[in-house]
Amino acid sequence: MKKWKREIEINAPIEHVWKFLDGSVENMQKIMPQVVEQKPVKITEEVVGSVYRQKYREGKRTEEYDIETLEYLNETNEKKLKVGFILAKMFEITALYELNKINDNKTSFTYTVTSRPLKWFLKLLLLLFATDKVVVEFLDRVKKVAEAETSGSE
């Protein structure tokens, strides 16, 4: 299994950053433009255990998979969302989004991703080609979108 963890400070209120992760599909698409749609399959009262069917476009191909909520915390100063899914029947992926309020206009965002190959021959590929580039690019995109919207609304 491969794991990447990165942290970034975002000059935006925690609630503003949270809406991209725990809000509408339109808000999610601002930071994950490849997400074509997301529909609820099973919703639980406590959020954990909820399942969404997500369509994701990669180039000309569209993949569809079920994303399960594994952890959920929505407090004033701390927010956490962990989801898991199987990618292309080849990798078990988890994504953990953690937000911590630094002050009214600054948020710490930690993003942790794990990828576990489901087939033996993929382990070597993961070792050879897996980098944190996607993780770093995602953090930068969230920071850019959140800060642009925050500065534009003042």
Side-chain angles (χ1 to χ4, degrees), residues 103-121:
N103 61 40
D104 286 349
N105 296 306
K106 192 172 278 196
T107 303
S108 169
F109 177 29
T110 305
Y111 180 46
T112 308
V113 179
T114 63
S115 180
R116 188 174 66 84
L118 299 176
K119 296 178 171 56
W120 66 269
F121 60 89

Side-chain angles (χ1 to χ4, degrees), residues 85-136:
F85 60 97
I86 305 291
L87 182 63
K89 297 184 182 118
M90 293 194 266
F91 294 97
E92 182 182 312
I93 309 283
T94 66
L96 173 61
Y97 311 99
E98 295 173 281
L99 301 178
N100 287 289
K101 181 177 179 176
I102 297 171
N103 61 40
D104 286 349
N105 296 306
K106 192 172 278 196
T107 303
S108 169
F109 177 29
T110 305
Y111 180 46
T112 308
V113 179
T114 63
S115 180
R116 188 174 66 84
L118 299 176
K119 296 178 171 56
W120 66 269
F121 60 89
L122 296 170
K123 289 179 181 165
L124 182 60
L125 287 174
L126 196 61
L127 288 171
L128 294 174
F129 299 109
T131 70
D132 66 353
K133 180 178 180 246
V134 173
V135 173
V136 171

Side-chain angles (χ1 to χ4, degrees), residues 62-103:
T62 301
E63 292 281 333
E64 187 175 277
Y65 41 86
D66 290 348
I67 297 179
E68 181 178 1
T69 304
L70 305 171
E71 281 182 50
Y72 186 84
L73 177 69
N74 188 359
E75 301 292 330
T76 306
N77 296 325
E78 180 186 7
K79 300 181 184 301
K80 189 183 290 190
L81 175 64
K82 183 177 184 178
V83 296
F85 60 97
I86 305 291
L87 182 63
K89 297 184 182 118
M90 293 194 266
F91 294 97
E92 182 182 312
I93 309 283
T94 66
L96 173 61
Y97 311 99
E98 295 173 281
L99 301 178
N100 287 289
K101 181 177 179 176
I102 297 171
N103 61 40

